Amino acid sequence: MTRRETLPHLAVAVSGGADSMALAVLARDWTGERGGTVAGLVVDHGLRPESADEAAVTIDRLSRLGVPARLLPLTTLERGPALAERARIMRYQVLCDACRESGCVDLLLGHHAGDQIETVAMRVLRGSHTHGLSGMSAMRKMLGIRLLRPLLGIAPALLRRYLIERGIAWVEDPSNRDLRALRPRLRHRLAEEVSPAAVPALLDAIAAIGRLRFGEEAETAAELAARAAVRPEGYALVSPGRISEAALSRLLQTIGGVPYPPALPRIADLAADLRAATVAGVRIMAAGRLARGWLVLREEAAIAEPVPAAPGAVWDNRFRLAIRRGSLDGATIGKLGDDAARFRSLTELPSAVLRTLPAIRFGKFVAAVPHLGYALPEDDVQMTIMFASGHSDPCFVPGA
């Protein structure tokens, strides 16, 4: 939040655990002193039979503490491979959607010093370099929302003591004690091996790496500004010549809409000698008549399935739909695909790009392709489709 925001409007992601409950109370007091408001957002993953009751208890506790709260159920999350990662992606998406619906741009997260150290330890085991070892950021943007982590320097024991002194209860998630998962195992081991006195030094080291990361990201941003042009249609043009591994990795992450960039060793040869390739859900091909250099676009085969065209819908983790007037009830947003041939005369874009453009459909009928300025003449809907990968600045495209 900037200093000019004199009436803060904050949202807090509250799991019901001690850390997020403490954060909600601290945020309530902070905003109250400044004439602002705070709201709790409680996500129910629905993976345990008791989760619905725990969410209801948490909402009731927040209400009694003067923090109005809203339940956000995840109804489509299923058990299977990469469950934790899929749950994390869906959780952030519904949290960001709820923030936008309420006009809130700041979402507070309850990650604390222990979480930070565990996260870095996990990344060490996975072979991360500077970006990973810098830990979680105190502030980052995702889907137009600022994610804020104000407790990264606070030990979890202090947060629990804060609640106990005020007689505030919390929910204990049994998954935090399940030693079959890596994070609980690390937490158990770190508690044995790392003394409380060593925690400040560890946090200082992580912060120092974070400063290195900041400098590297500034250099990467400058390189991309000079070498790449990201277009509202969801592709980029890159000038000829070698590109740094960091810049290519960030560009692939943005165009692919993926939560993490590809590992640098994986793309080292490609960065040294850009050429036609498919990597991380992204296709690289000669730009042809568009420009000298290379075209970087979404791999069509990797694009997500269509989703309902509801206000605020995010499709393929890259395009966000805003409806200014009218309704698209019953419609979906998905790739133009094979229907691209019908619109060939409307654009100079290569077919590979044309097929990946977002299209609004009723059933199998294409009702609008906003990036081509196409919509049915009688269509009274006013919409905006924005290329808003979680890792790029938004590109707005008004509907026809």
Side-chain angles (χ1 to χ4, degrees):
M1 189 183 63
T2 66
R3 293 182 179 179
R4 295 182 180 181
E5 295 176 66
T6 55
L7 297 177
H9 176 35
L10 304 178
V12 184
V14 185
S15 67
D19 317 319
S20 58
M21 286 295 293
L23 179 59
V25 177
L26 290 166
R28 177 203 64 186
D29 294 346
W30 188 88
T31 55
E33 292 172 357
R34 291 159 177 79
T37 60
V38 64
L41 299 175
V42 181
V43 177
D44 177 15
H45 295 83
L47 296 175
R48 294 183 291 111
E50 60 272 26
S51 66
D53 290 340
E54 291 171 355
V57 166
T58 298
I59 288 175
D60 180 67
R61 285 173 177 165
L62 290 171
S63 178
R64 293 173 183 272
L65 291 168
V67 180
R70 174 183 172 187
L71 177 64
L72 304 174
L74 296 182
T75 58
T76 60
L77 184 61
E78 299 179 355
R79 293 189 178 277
L83 175 61
E85 177 62 18
R86 289 186 287 110
R88 188 190 70 84
I89 293 172
M90 293 179 66
R91 179 169 64 250
Y92 278 122
Q93 182 167 319
V94 297
L95 286 168
C96 289
D97 287 346
C99 286
R100 281 193 299 274
E101 290 171 13
S102 65
C104 177
V105 298
D106 292 309
L107 173 63
L108 273 60
L109 305 173
H111 299 112
H112 51 62
D115 294 322
Q116 182 74 298
I117 293 171
E118 292 163 11
T119 295
V120 172
M122 291 174 69
R123 293 176 179 177
V124 167
L125 294 177
R126 292 170 179 164
S128 291
H129 296 280
T130 307
H131 280 211
L133 301 186
S134 63
M136 294 179 284
S137 301
M139 191 278 283
R140 63 168 292 197
K141 287 189 177 181
M142 175 180 285
L143 298 174
I145 303 299
R146 287 184 294 202
L147 306 183
L148 305 175
R149 297 184 175 97
L151 304 180
L152 286 179
I154 306 298
L158 292 179
L159 298 172
R160 289 176 178 250
R161 185 187 309 166
Y162 175 82
L163 294 180
I164 291 170
E165 291 174 350
R166 288 157 180 77
I168 300 172
W170 64 84
V171 172
E172 290 286 2
D173 185 346
S175 64
N176 290 330
R177 299 188 298 273
D178 185 357
L179 298 184
R180 292 173 297 180
L182 176 59
R183 186 178 285 274
R185 290 202 307 273
L186 278 174
R187 181 176 302 133
H188 180 74
R189 187 64 181 269
L190 289 169
E192 293 179 340
E193 301 292 339
V194 179
S195 69
V199 169
L202 283 171
L203 293 177
D204 285 345
I206 293 170
I209 298 175
R211 289 189 289 273
L212 290 176
R213 173 180 175 175
F214 181 81
E216 290 180 359
E217 289 185 337
E219 292 177 1
T220 298
E223 180 180 2
L224 286 172
R227 296 288 308 283
V230 178
R231 301 293 302 158
E233 295 87 352
Y235 70 91
L237 293 170
V238 181
S239 60
R242 186 192 183 282
I243 187 170
S244 72
E245 297 164 17
L248 180 59
S249 178
R250 177 63 184 271
L251 187 60
L252 293 173
Q253 183 184 18
T254 296
I255 300 302
V258 294
Y260 299 109
L264 299 188
R266 181 183 175 191
I267 60 170
D269 291 343
L270 187 59
D273 180 22
L274 274 180
R275 56 190 180 277
T278 300
V279 59
V282 175
R283 181 180 176 187
I284 301 173
M285 57 185 289
R289 64 177 178 274
L290 289 181
R292 289 183 63 249
W294 297 95
L295 174 62
V296 182
L297 67 155
R298 186 74 161 111
E299 180 190 2
E300 184 182 354
I303 289 179
E305 293 296 314
V307 299
V314 176
W315 170 66
D316 199 37
N317 201 32
R318 301 183 309 130
F319 289 98
R320 186 162 69 240
L321 173 67
I323 301 175
R324 302 190 302 278
R325 187 179 71 188
S327 172
L328 290 173
D329 288 348
T332 61
I333 177 172
K335 69 179 182 182
L336 186 56
D338 291 342
D339 287 309
R342 296 172 44 203
F343 300 92
R344 179 71 274 165
S345 63
L346 298 183
T347 180
E348 294 296 319
L349 289 175
S351 176
V353 173
L354 188 59
R355 294 178 63 89
T356 66
L357 294 183
I360 303 295
R361 287 184 175 86
F362 287 92
K364 295 184 178 181
F365 185 75
V366 178
V369 187
H371 290 83
L372 301 181
Y374 171 82
L376 295 179
E378 65 272 19
D379 193 349
D380 194 38
V381 177
Q382 291 186 358
M383 74 182 88
T384 297
I385 289 185
M386 177 175 62
F387 177 62
S389 168
H391 316 283
S392 68
D393 293 327
C395 295
F396 293 93
V397 179

